[in-house]
Amino acid sequence: MNHFDLGPDGELACEGVPLRRIAEAVGTPVYVYSSATLERHYTVLRDALVAEGLRGEHGADPLIAFAVKANSNVAVLKTLARLGAGADTVSEGEIRRALAAGIPGERIVFSGVGKTAGEIAFALKAGVSEINVESEPEMHLASQVAQSLGTRATIAIRVNPDVSAGGHAKISTGKSDNKFGVSFSEAERLYAQAANNAGLRPVGVTCHIGSQITELAPLEAAFVKMRGLVGRLRAEGLSVERLDLGGGLGVPYFNQPTPASPADYARMIAKTMDGLDVAYSFEPGRMIAANAGVLLSTVQHIHERPEGRKFAVLDAAMNDLIRPAMYDAYHDIRPVKPRDASAVTYDVVGPICETGDTFTRDRDLPPLQAGDLVAFMSAGAYGAVMSSEYNSRLLVPEVLVKGDQFAVVRPRPTYEDMLAKEADAPWL
Ligand code: LLP
């Protein structure tokens, strides 16, 4: 459920704010996020996990470490932090964003396959809750860095459960030929090694098999294997306090299968783990943020070709929302004020100079005209975070709505700002 609905005037609004009002104040393209939707998604997941008895450390709620890669706007992170969310981070930049949002180090997890020594040192100084180690060389690097700082790195070993999942090959992470994590036998060996290493404190194991997973079966298959691993490690006398089950649960992108609900997900985990005594943590991104955001854009013109094709040319482009170009992703496109007339078939495109800048082909939409506002739905995750200045277009701004208020939480830069980021070479 989200809080983007037609208001009494027949126009699309975010909570109590008509999207037209935001377009007039900030211009388009612009991302708009709903606080109520972010809050709802977080609490529905937390309540489902708690209802199934899946606890965190010391009997507290499980750690829900929001995957910052999905939406790293500090105001969005703050909205979630106020509810108790932690952060799953994959770079020093993301750790800094989480800290800036007031998320304490002990609720920050540091994941990622290529952490540098500098980033590991930064994470240790920030007191992150754990470093999710993805390979043997990385584990040794974490140990060296920790020892040079006179401390021990708290680590979890990321296992690659060799399970196929995820909506698209580019976002599947859990097969043995993906770059992520180690095999079960390597995990056992590394865990035992870590337990005897002066720079490391292994506390648990973690997995993440992919993103936009709509069925529970692949997750369950991976989790059964993870439970087995915890049992084997403990049988060897090793202490396993934590189990991080990653993220990955999908969201309904309008034309796709309805994903499993958080309640079904929590029930499946409780059944699979069957009373296993560990502190649980999770790394959801998309299921919290995707349907909490839209990309608002203006139709520049309708370009009709003699053979009948109609291009709706927008002021948003692939540099603002790259998911259709990169993953053939489907985003519902809703006119802010839909005309009550029979649908017209459009190719919806941006102004960038390549054919890849096509959001969709042959989409039936209510008739559009130049100046109309349209909203790309489900764009709150992997939207603004993946934007760029390609074609020297200004970085897309972001707005956060709360009730009947809104705030610009990332302003649109000026062209002067854009140019000021570069420096001259002395010989030019
Ligand atoms: N934890 C780890 C270690 C991850 O690699 C990811 C996502 C997550 C958590 C969060 O997964 P989620 O709950 O959001 O599915 N840009 C792509 C998605 C890439 C996901 C990468 N990893 C897209 O736009 O579909």
mmCIF file of all heavy atoms in Angstrom, residues 359-410:
data_model
loop_
_atom_site.group_PDB
_atom_site.id
_atom_site.type_symbol
_atom_site.label_atom_id
_atom_site.label_comp_id
_atom_site.label_asym_id
_atom_site.label_seq_id
_atom_site.Cartn_x
_atom_site.Cartn_y
_atom_site.Cartn_z
ATOM 1 N N PHE A 359 11.660 4.854 -21.960
ATOM 2 C CA PHE A 359 11.103 4.305 -20.713
ATOM 3 C C PHE A 359 10.189 3.122 -20.985
ATOM 4 O O PHE A 359 10.092 2.204 -20.189
ATOM 5 C CB PHE A 359 10.329 5.393 -19.954
ATOM 6 C CG PHE A 359 11.216 6.474 -19.405
ATOM 7 C CD1 PHE A 359 11.164 7.768 -19.905
ATOM 8 C CD2 PHE A 359 12.117 6.198 -18.381
ATOM 9 C CE1 PHE A 359 11.976 8.766 -19.396
ATOM 10 C CE2 PHE A 359 12.939 7.202 -17.863
ATOM 11 C CZ PHE A 359 12.864 8.483 -18.370
ATOM 12 N N THR A 360 9.490 3.192 -22.111
ATOM 13 C CA THR A 360 8.593 2.093 -22.455
ATOM 14 C C THR A 360 8.176 2.242 -23.910
ATOM 15 O O THR A 360 8.181 3.351 -24.453
ATOM 16 C CB THR A 360 7.349 2.096 -21.542
ATOM 17 O OG1 THR A 360 6.536 0.961 -21.835
ATOM 18 C CG2 THR A 360 6.506 3.346 -21.721
ATOM 19 N N ARG A 361 7.827 1.121 -24.537
ATOM 20 C CA ARG A 361 7.302 1.164 -25.906
ATOM 21 C C ARG A 361 5.873 0.640 -25.895
ATOM 22 O O ARG A 361 5.524 -0.218 -25.081
ATOM 23 C CB ARG A 361 8.162 0.292 -26.820
ATOM 24 C CG ARG A 361 9.437 1.006 -27.264
ATOM 25 C CD ARG A 361 10.381 0.114 -28.030
ATOM 26 N NE ARG A 361 9.923 -0.243 -29.373
ATOM 27 C CZ ARG A 361 10.039 0.545 -30.444
ATOM 28 N NH1 ARG A 361 10.572 1.736 -30.329
ATOM 29 N NH2 ARG A 361 9.622 0.138 -31.622
ATOM 30 N N ASP A 362 5.090 1.168 -26.793
ATOM 31 C CA ASP A 362 3.722 0.671 -26.997
ATOM 32 C C ASP A 362 2.923 0.575 -25.690
ATOM 33 O O ASP A 362 2.316 -0.448 -25.411
ATOM 34 C CB ASP A 362 3.754 -0.710 -27.679
ATOM 35 C CG ASP A 362 4.353 -0.638 -29.069
ATOM 36 O OD1 ASP A 362 4.130 0.385 -29.754
ATOM 37 O OD2 ASP A 362 5.053 -1.587 -29.464
ATOM 38 N N ARG A 363 2.963 1.635 -24.911
ATOM 39 C CA ARG A 363 2.196 1.643 -23.651
ATOM 40 C C ARG A 363 0.880 2.383 -23.889
ATOM 41 O O ARG A 363 0.882 3.499 -24.407
ATOM 42 C CB ARG A 363 3.020 2.343 -22.562
ATOM 43 C CG ARG A 363 2.365 2.452 -21.188
ATOM 44 C CD ARG A 363 2.532 1.227 -20.333
ATOM 45 N NE ARG A 363 3.908 0.885 -20.034
ATOM 46 C CZ ARG A 363 4.554 1.246 -18.914
ATOM 47 N NH1 ARG A 363 3.946 1.941 -17.988
ATOM 48 N NH2 ARG A 363 5.811 0.855 -18.714
ATOM 49 N N ASP A 364 -0.220 1.754 -23.495
ATOM 50 C CA ASP A 364 -1.529 2.412 -23.583
ATOM 51 C C ASP A 364 -1.715 3.323 -22.377
ATOM 52 O O ASP A 364 -1.662 2.854 -21.233
ATOM 53 C CB ASP A 364 -2.646 1.353 -23.603
ATOM 54 C CG ASP A 364 -2.657 0.593 -24.916
ATOM 55 O OD1 ASP A 364 -2.087 1.107 -25.903
ATOM 56 O OD2 ASP A 364 -3.232 -0.516 -24.955
ATOM 57 N N LEU A 365 -1.900 4.607 -22.676
ATOM 58 C CA LEU A 365 -2.068 5.594 -21.598
ATOM 59 C C LEU A 365 -3.242 6.500 -21.952
ATOM 60 O O LEU A 365 -3.587 6.643 -23.136
ATOM 61 C CB LEU A 365 -0.803 6.453 -21.473
ATOM 62 C CG LEU A 365 0.474 5.760 -21.012
ATOM 63 C CD1 LEU A 365 1.666 6.688 -21.169
ATOM 64 C CD2 LEU A 365 0.345 5.310 -19.557
ATOM 65 N N PRO A 366 -3.823 7.162 -20.950
ATOM 66 C CA PRO A 366 -4.813 8.189 -21.285
ATOM 67 C C PRO A 366 -4.153 9.222 -22.188
ATOM 68 O O PRO A 366 -2.932 9.421 -22.101
ATOM 69 C CB PRO A 366 -5.161 8.807 -19.920
ATOM 70 C CG PRO A 366 -4.724 7.807 -18.898
ATOM 71 C CD PRO A 366 -3.582 7.047 -19.510
ATOM 72 N N PRO A 367 -4.902 9.880 -23.082
ATOM 73 C CA PRO A 367 -4.268 10.818 -24.032
ATOM 74 C C PRO A 367 -3.429 11.878 -23.317
ATOM 75 O O PRO A 367 -3.842 12.405 -22.288
ATOM 76 C CB PRO A 367 -5.456 11.472 -24.744
ATOM 77 C CG PRO A 367 -6.667 10.729 -24.324
ATOM 78 C CD PRO A 367 -6.352 9.810 -23.224
ATOM 79 N N LEU A 368 -2.234 12.132 -23.874
ATOM 80 C CA LEU A 368 -1.302 13.101 -23.267
ATOM 81 C C LEU A 368 -1.132 14.301 -24.184
ATOM 82 O O LEU A 368 -1.250 14.172 -25.411
ATOM 83 C CB LEU A 368 0.073 12.439 -23.067
ATOM 84 C CG LEU A 368 0.150 11.269 -22.097
ATOM 85 C CD1 LEU A 368 1.530 10.606 -22.159
ATOM 86 C CD2 LEU A 368 -0.153 11.728 -20.661
ATOM 87 N N GLN A 369 -0.836 15.446 -23.584
ATOM 88 C CA GLN A 369 -0.536 16.669 -24.354
ATOM 89 C C GLN A 369 0.696 17.318 -23.760
ATOM 90 O O GLN A 369 1.018 17.089 -22.587
ATOM 91 C CB GLN A 369 -1.689 17.670 -24.227
ATOM 92 C CG GLN A 369 -2.945 17.259 -24.959
ATOM 93 C CD GLN A 369 -4.102 18.206 -24.686
ATOM 94 O OE1 GLN A 369 -3.918 19.271 -24.103
ATOM 95 N NE2 GLN A 369 -5.286 17.805 -25.121
ATOM 96 N N ALA A 370 1.329 18.194 -24.555
ATOM 97 C CA ALA A 370 2.477 18.963 -24.042
ATOM 98 C C ALA A 370 2.050 19.700 -22.778
ATOM 99 O O ALA A 370 0.942 20.240 -22.702
ATOM 100 C CB ALA A 370 2.930 19.961 -25.101
ATOM 101 N N GLY A 371 2.927 19.662 -21.762
ATOM 102 C CA GLY A 371 2.643 20.361 -20.512
ATOM 103 C C GLY A 371 2.022 19.469 -19.448
ATOM 104 O O GLY A 371 1.978 19.841 -18.275
ATOM 105 N N ASP A 372 1.538 18.279 -19.822
ATOM 106 C CA ASP A 372 0.955 17.368 -18.823
ATOM 107 C C ASP A 372 2.031 16.869 -17.881
ATOM 108 O O ASP A 372 3.173 16.615 -18.293
ATOM 109 C CB ASP A 372 0.337 16.142 -19.508
ATOM 110 C CG ASP A 372 -0.981 16.457 -20.183
ATOM 111 O OD1 ASP A 372 -1.454 17.600 -20.071
ATOM 112 O OD2 ASP A 372 -1.538 15.533 -20.824
ATOM 113 N N LEU A 373 1.625 16.651 -16.635
ATOM 114 C CA LEU A 373 2.530 16.026 -15.663
ATOM 115 C C LEU A 373 2.258 14.527 -15.619
ATOM 116 O O LEU A 373 1.090 14.112 -15.610
ATOM 117 C CB LEU A 373 2.277 16.597 -14.263
ATOM 118 C CG LEU A 373 2.692 18.043 -14.024
ATOM 119 C CD1 LEU A 373 2.165 18.524 -12.678
ATOM 120 C CD2 LEU A 373 4.220 18.150 -14.066
ATOM 121 N N VAL A 374 3.334 13.742 -15.594
ATOM 122 C CA VAL A 374 3.171 12.291 -15.427
ATOM 123 C C VAL A 374 4.086 11.830 -14.292
ATOM 124 O O VAL A 374 5.120 12.455 -14.018
ATOM 125 C CB VAL A 374 3.510 11.492 -16.709
ATOM 126 C CG1 VAL A 374 2.533 11.798 -17.826
ATOM 127 C CG2 VAL A 374 4.940 11.737 -17.159
ATOM 128 N N ALA A 375 3.671 10.742 -13.634
ATOM 129 C CA ALA A 375 4.465 10.205 -12.526
ATOM 130 C C ALA A 375 4.879 8.778 -12.851
ATOM 131 O O ALA A 375 4.036 7.953 -13.224
ATOM 132 C CB ALA A 375 3.645 10.232 -11.239
ATOM 133 N N PHE A 376 6.183 8.510 -12.735
ATOM 134 C CA PHE A 376 6.676 7.130 -12.803
ATOM 135 C C PHE A 376 6.516 6.561 -11.397
ATOM 136 O O PHE A 376 7.153 7.049 -10.453
ATOM 137 C CB PHE A 376 8.159 7.090 -13.181
ATOM 138 C CG PHE A 376 8.403 7.403 -14.619
ATOM 139 C CD1 PHE A 376 8.568 8.711 -15.033
ATOM 140 C CD2 PHE A 376 8.452 6.385 -15.562
ATOM 141 C CE1 PHE A 376 8.789 9.010 -16.370
ATOM 142 C CE2 PHE A 376 8.679 6.673 -16.904
ATOM 143 C CZ PHE A 376 8.842 7.987 -17.304
ATOM 144 N N MET A 377 5.694 5.548 -11.260
ATOM 145 C CA MET A 377 5.419 4.989 -9.948
ATOM 146 C C MET A 377 6.556 4.034 -9.532
ATOM 147 O O MET A 377 7.347 3.584 -10.368
ATOM 148 C CB MET A 377 4.079 4.237 -9.954
ATOM 149 C CG MET A 377 2.914 5.063 -10.502
ATOM 150 S SD MET A 377 2.686 6.670 -9.691
ATOM 151 C CE MET A 377 2.137 6.173 -8.061
ATOM 152 N N SER A 378 6.578 3.708 -8.245
ATOM 153 C CA SER A 378 7.529 2.717 -7.692
ATOM 154 C C SER A 378 8.978 3.088 -7.983
ATOM 155 O O SER A 378 9.802 2.225 -8.275
ATOM 156 C CB SER A 378 7.268 1.308 -8.263
ATOM 157 O OG SER A 378 5.905 1.027 -8.289
ATOM 158 N N ALA A 379 9.282 4.380 -7.903
ATOM 159 C CA ALA A 379 10.629 4.842 -8.266
ATOM 160 C C ALA A 379 11.438 5.271 -7.042
ATOM 161 O O ALA A 379 12.502 5.881 -7.178
ATOM 162 C CB ALA A 379 10.521 5.988 -9.265
ATOM 163 N N GLY A 380 10.942 4.931 -5.841
ATOM 164 C CA GLY A 380 11.629 5.369 -4.621
ATOM 165 C C GLY A 380 12.872 4.564 -4.300
ATOM 166 O O GLY A 380 13.687 4.972 -3.466
ATOM 167 N N ALA A 381 13.033 3.394 -4.918
ATOM 168 C CA ALA A 381 14.241 2.587 -4.696
ATOM 169 C C ALA A 381 15.004 2.474 -6.007
ATOM 170 O O ALA A 381 14.404 2.215 -7.059
ATOM 171 C CB ALA A 381 13.880 1.189 -4.191
ATOM 172 N N TYR A 382 16.309 2.635 -5.959
ATOM 173 C CA TYR A 382 17.178 2.520 -7.130
ATOM 174 C C TYR A 382 16.761 3.516 -8.225
ATOM 175 O O TYR A 382 16.832 3.219 -9.411
ATOM 176 C CB TYR A 382 17.199 1.070 -7.650
ATOM 177 C CG TYR A 382 17.551 0.080 -6.555
ATOM 178 C CD1 TYR A 382 16.605 -0.824 -6.056
ATOM 179 C CD2 TYR A 382 18.815 0.072 -5.987
ATOM 180 C CE1 TYR A 382 16.923 -1.703 -5.022
ATOM 181 C CE2 TYR A 382 19.142 -0.799 -4.958
ATOM 182 C CZ TYR A 382 18.193 -1.676 -4.481
ATOM 183 O OH TYR A 382 18.505 -2.538 -3.458
ATOM 184 N N GLY A 383 16.266 4.667 -7.784
ATOM 185 C CA GLY A 383 15.882 5.732 -8.711
ATOM 186 C C GLY A 383 16.912 6.844 -8.639
ATOM 187 O O GLY A 383 17.924 6.820 -9.364
ATOM 188 N N ALA A 384 16.697 7.805 -7.734
ATOM 189 C CA ALA A 384 17.607 8.947 -7.620
ATOM 190 C C ALA A 384 19.041 8.507 -7.345
ATOM 191 O O ALA A 384 19.996 9.129 -7.826
ATOM 192 C CB ALA A 384 17.131 9.884 -6.512
ATOM 193 N N VAL A 385 19.207 7.417 -6.596
ATOM 194 C CA VAL A 385 20.569 6.960 -6.270
ATOM 195 C C VAL A 385 21.360 6.557 -7.508
ATOM 196 O O VAL A 385 22.592 6.577 -7.485
ATOM 197 C CB VAL A 385 20.561 5.745 -5.297
ATOM 198 C CG1 VAL A 385 20.319 6.167 -3.877
ATOM 199 C CG2 VAL A 385 19.567 4.691 -5.740
ATOM 200 N N MET A 386 20.673 6.180 -8.562
ATOM 201 C CA MET A 386 21.375 5.746 -9.774
ATOM 202 C C MET A 386 21.380 6.852 -10.832
ATOM 203 O O MET A 386 21.745 6.611 -11.983
ATOM 204 C CB MET A 386 20.728 4.471 -10.342
ATOM 205 C CG MET A 386 20.838 3.283 -9.385
ATOM 206 S SD MET A 386 20.090 1.758 -10.030
ATOM 207 C CE MET A 386 21.362 1.192 -11.158
ATOM 208 N N SER A 387 20.999 8.058 -10.441
ATOM 209 C CA SER A 387 20.936 9.140 -11.426
ATOM 210 C C SER A 387 22.329 9.706 -11.684
ATOM 211 O O SER A 387 23.247 9.544 -10.882
ATOM 212 C CB SER A 387 19.983 10.240 -10.949
ATOM 213 O OG SER A 387 20.450 10.807 -9.748
ATOM 214 N N SER A 388 22.466 10.387 -12.804
ATOM 215 C CA SER A 388 23.760 10.961 -13.180
ATOM 216 C C SER A 388 23.518 12.277 -13.925
ATOM 217 O O SER A 388 22.368 12.689 -14.108
ATOM 218 C CB SER A 388 24.522 9.996 -14.087
ATOM 219 O OG SER A 388 23.940 10.011 -15.382
ATOM 220 N N GLU A 389 24.609 12.892 -14.341
ATOM 221 C CA GLU A 389 24.503 14.144 -15.107
ATOM 222 C C GLU A 389 24.722 13.890 -16.602
ATOM 223 O O GLU A 389 25.063 14.823 -17.341
ATOM 224 C CB GLU A 389 25.551 15.154 -14.616
ATOM 225 C CG GLU A 389 25.272 15.706 -13.245
ATOM 226 C CD GLU A 389 26.338 16.700 -12.806
ATOM 227 O OE1 GLU A 389 27.458 16.672 -13.359
ATOM 228 O OE2 GLU A 389 26.045 17.497 -11.904
ATOM 229 N N TYR A 390 24.550 12.656 -17.038
ATOM 230 C CA TYR A 390 24.778 12.321 -18.448
ATOM 231 C C TYR A 390 24.075 13.336 -19.354
ATOM 232 O O TYR A 390 22.933 13.721 -19.080
ATOM 233 C CB TYR A 390 24.273 10.903 -18.710
ATOM 234 C CG TYR A 390 24.546 10.389 -20.108
ATOM 235 C CD1 TYR A 390 25.755 10.648 -20.748
ATOM 236 C CD2 TYR A 390 23.598 9.630 -20.777
ATOM 237 C CE1 TYR A 390 25.999 10.171 -22.022
ATOM 238 C CE2 TYR A 390 23.831 9.146 -22.055
ATOM 239 C CZ TYR A 390 25.038 9.425 -22.667
ATOM 240 O OH TYR A 390 25.279 8.952 -23.933
ATOM 241 N N ASN A 391 24.731 13.715 -20.408
ATOM 242 C CA ASN A 391 24.278 14.776 -21.330
ATOM 243 C C ASN A 391 24.310 16.150 -20.653
ATOM 244 O O ASN A 391 23.629 17.079 -21.067
ATOM 245 C CB ASN A 391 22.872 14.497 -21.884
ATOM 246 C CG ASN A 391 22.877 13.621 -23.135
ATOM 247 O OD1 ASN A 391 22.062 13.777 -24.029
ATOM 248 N ND2 ASN A 391 23.812 12.689 -23.237
ATOM 249 N N SER A 392 25.103 16.240 -19.539
ATOM 250 C CA SER A 392 25.188 17.482 -18.749
ATOM 251 C C SER A 392 23.810 18.003 -18.374
ATOM 252 O O SER A 392 23.517 19.197 -18.461
ATOM 253 C CB SER A 392 26.011 18.554 -19.467
ATOM 254 O OG SER A 392 27.368 18.150 -19.456
ATOM 255 N N ARG A 393 22.996 17.052 -17.943
ATOM 256 C CA ARG A 393 21.688 17.414 -17.381
ATOM 257 C C ARG A 393 21.873 17.570 -15.877
ATOM 258 O O ARG A 393 22.629 16.832 -15.253
ATOM 259 C CB ARG A 393 20.672 16.305 -17.700
ATOM 260 C CG ARG A 393 20.332 16.231 -19.193
ATOM 261 C CD ARG A 393 19.623 14.933 -19.541
ATOM 262 N NE ARG A 393 18.514 14.661 -18.660
ATOM 263 C CZ ARG A 393 17.286 15.176 -18.782
ATOM 264 N NH1 ARG A 393 17.012 15.987 -19.786
ATOM 265 N NH2 ARG A 393 16.330 14.881 -17.922
ATOM 266 N N LEU A 394 21.183 18.520 -15.285
ATOM 267 C CA LEU A 394 21.354 18.764 -13.842
ATOM 268 C C LEU A 394 20.854 17.566 -13.046
ATOM 269 O O LEU A 394 19.843 16.947 -13.415
ATOM 270 C CB LEU A 394 20.584 20.016 -13.435
ATOM 271 C CG LEU A 394 21.097 21.317 -14.059
ATOM 272 C CD1 LEU A 394 20.181 22.470 -13.679
ATOM 273 C CD2 LEU A 394 22.533 21.599 -13.614
ATOM 274 N N LEU A 395 21.565 17.260 -11.960
ATOM 275 C CA LEU A 395 21.175 16.123 -11.123
ATOM 276 C C LEU A 395 19.756 16.351 -10.599
ATOM 277 O O LEU A 395 19.415 17.430 -10.118
ATOM 278 C CB LEU A 395 22.168 16.000 -9.967
ATOM 279 C CG LEU A 395 22.323 14.621 -9.355
ATOM 280 C CD1 LEU A 395 22.727 13.572 -10.381
ATOM 281 C CD2 LEU A 395 23.378 14.681 -8.246
ATOM 282 N N VAL A 396 18.946 15.307 -10.696
ATOM 283 C CA VAL A 396 17.514 15.429 -10.384
ATOM 284 C C VAL A 396 17.295 15.723 -8.886
ATOM 285 O O VAL A 396 17.936 15.113 -8.042
ATOM 286 C CB VAL A 396 16.791 14.130 -10.847
ATOM 287 C CG1 VAL A 396 17.292 12.888 -10.123
ATOM 288 C CG2 VAL A 396 15.280 14.242 -10.715
ATOM 289 N N PRO A 397 16.439 16.676 -8.544
ATOM 290 C CA PRO A 397 16.204 16.983 -7.123
ATOM 291 C C PRO A 397 15.242 15.981 -6.466
ATOM 292 O O PRO A 397 14.594 15.182 -7.143
ATOM 293 C CB PRO A 397 15.568 18.370 -7.162
ATOM 294 C CG PRO A 397 14.937 18.464 -8.497
ATOM 295 C CD PRO A 397 15.714 17.586 -9.428
ATOM 296 N N GLU A 398 15.184 16.059 -5.133
ATOM 297 C CA GLU A 398 14.345 15.144 -4.356
ATOM 298 C C GLU A 398 13.523 15.946 -3.350
ATOM 299 O O GLU A 398 14.035 16.890 -2.732
ATOM 300 C CB GLU A 398 15.211 14.132 -3.612
ATOM 301 C CG GLU A 398 16.038 13.248 -4.525
ATOM 302 C CD GLU A 398 17.012 12.356 -3.762
ATOM 303 O OE1 GLU A 398 18.054 12.881 -3.335
ATOM 304 O OE2 GLU A 398 16.733 11.175 -3.580
ATOM 305 N N VAL A 399 12.279 15.513 -3.176
ATOM 306 C CA VAL A 399 11.345 16.182 -2.258
ATOM 307 C C VAL A 399 10.762 15.127 -1.322
ATOM 308 O O VAL A 399 10.442 14.017 -1.761
ATOM 309 C CB VAL A 399 10.211 16.861 -3.085
ATOM 310 C CG1 VAL A 399 8.999 17.167 -2.222
ATOM 311 C CG2 VAL A 399 10.730 18.126 -3.755
ATOM 312 N N LEU A 400 10.648 15.474 -0.052
ATOM 313 C CA LEU A 400 10.022 14.561 0.920
ATOM 314 C C LEU A 400 8.716 15.188 1.400
ATOM 315 O O LEU A 400 8.688 16.357 1.799
ATOM 316 C CB LEU A 400 10.965 14.328 2.110
ATOM 317 C CG LEU A 400 10.464 13.378 3.196
ATOM 318 C CD1 LEU A 400 10.322 11.943 2.670
ATOM 319 C CD2 LEU A 400 11.414 13.385 4.404
ATOM 320 N N VAL A 401 7.654 14.378 1.345
ATOM 321 C CA VAL A 401 6.328 14.837 1.788
ATOM 322 C C VAL A 401 6.032 14.238 3.146
ATOM 323 O O VAL A 401 6.362 13.084 3.420
ATOM 324 C CB VAL A 401 5.254 14.397 0.766
ATOM 325 C CG1 VAL A 401 3.850 14.642 1.310
ATOM 326 C CG2 VAL A 401 5.454 15.119 -0.562
ATOM 327 N N LYS A 402 5.407 15.033 3.997
ATOM 328 C CA LYS A 402 4.883 14.508 5.276
ATOM 329 C C LYS A 402 3.533 15.157 5.497
ATOM 330 O O LYS A 402 3.446 16.374 5.726
ATOM 331 C CB LYS A 402 5.852 14.844 6.413
ATOM 332 C CG LYS A 402 5.298 14.478 7.763
ATOM 333 C CD LYS A 402 6.299 13.656 8.552
ATOM 334 C CE LYS A 402 5.715 13.214 9.877
ATOM 335 N NZ LYS A 402 5.441 11.779 9.917
ATOM 336 N N GLY A 403 2.469 14.391 5.397
ATOM 337 C CA GLY A 403 1.123 14.951 5.572
ATOM 338 C C GLY A 403 0.851 16.002 4.520
ATOM 339 O O GLY A 403 0.929 15.738 3.322
ATOM 340 N N ASP A 404 0.570 17.241 4.972
ATOM 341 C CA ASP A 404 0.315 18.288 3.977
ATOM 342 C C ASP A 404 1.517 19.209 3.801
ATOM 343 O O ASP A 404 1.414 20.308 3.264
ATOM 344 C CB ASP A 404 -0.955 19.083 4.340
ATOM 345 C CG ASP A 404 -0.858 19.684 5.726
ATOM 346 O OD1 ASP A 404 0.237 19.602 6.343
ATOM 347 O OD2 ASP A 404 -1.865 20.231 6.203
ATOM 348 N N GLN A 405 2.693 18.752 4.276
ATOM 349 C CA GLN A 405 3.907 19.565 4.081
ATOM 350 C C GLN A 405 4.854 18.863 3.108
ATOM 351 O O GLN A 405 4.833 17.646 2.999
ATOM 352 C CB GLN A 405 4.705 19.672 5.382
ATOM 353 C CG GLN A 405 3.955 20.067 6.606
ATOM 354 C CD GLN A 405 4.877 19.892 7.805
ATOM 355 O OE1 GLN A 405 5.892 20.568 7.918
ATOM 356 N NE2 GLN A 405 4.541 18.968 8.687
ATOM 357 N N PHE A 406 5.713 19.657 2.486
ATOM 358 C CA PHE A 406 6.798 19.036 1.727
ATOM 359 C C PHE A 406 8.062 19.865 1.860
ATOM 360 O O PHE A 406 8.010 21.060 2.127
ATOM 361 C CB PHE A 406 6.414 18.816 0.256
ATOM 362 C CG PHE A 406 6.327 20.050 -0.593
ATOM 363 C CD1 PHE A 406 7.451 20.517 -1.266
ATOM 364 C CD2 PHE A 406 5.133 20.727 -0.751
ATOM 365 C CE1 PHE A 406 7.377 21.648 -2.075
ATOM 366 C CE2 PHE A 406 5.053 21.861 -1.543
ATOM 367 C CZ PHE A 406 6.175 22.327 -2.214
ATOM 368 N N ALA A 407 9.200 19.177 1.707
ATOM 369 C CA ALA A 407 10.495 19.863 1.802
ATOM 370 C C ALA A 407 11.391 19.368 0.676
ATOM 371 O O ALA A 407 11.371 18.179 0.327
ATOM 372 C CB ALA A 407 11.154 19.563 3.147
ATOM 373 N N VAL A 408 12.168 20.297 0.118
ATOM 374 C CA VAL A 408 13.154 19.906 -0.893
ATOM 375 C C VAL A 408 14.347 19.339 -0.130
ATOM 376 O O VAL A 408 15.025 20.066 0.595
ATOM 377 C CB VAL A 408 13.582 21.114 -1.746
ATOM 378 C CG1 VAL A 408 14.635 20.699 -2.766
ATOM 379 C CG2 VAL A 408 12.376 21.728 -2.435
ATOM 380 N N VAL A 409 14.582 18.042 -0.240
ATOM 381 C CA VAL A 409 15.646 17.424 0.550
ATOM 382 C C VAL A 409 16.924 17.182 -0.263
ATOM 383 O O VAL A 409 17.935 16.759 0.279
ATOM 384 C CB VAL A 409 15.141 16.123 1.233
ATOM 385 C CG1 VAL A 409 14.118 16.466 2.314
ATOM 386 C CG2 VAL A 409 14.543 15.144 0.230
ATOM 387 N N ARG A 410 16.867 17.417 -1.550
ATOM 388 C CA ARG A 410 18.078 17.589 -2.368
ATOM 389 C C ARG A 410 17.706 18.594 -3.449
ATOM 390 O O ARG A 410 16.923 18.277 -4.353
ATOM 391 C CB ARG A 410 18.541 16.275 -3.013
ATOM 392 C CG ARG A 410 19.790 16.495 -3.898
ATOM 393 C CD ARG A 410 20.459 15.215 -4.362
ATOM 394 N NE ARG A 410 19.849 14.634 -5.541
ATOM 395 C CZ ARG A 410 20.274 13.526 -6.123
ATOM 396 N NH1 ARG A 410 21.311 12.860 -5.612
ATOM 397 N NH2 ARG A 410 19.663 13.036 -7.184
#
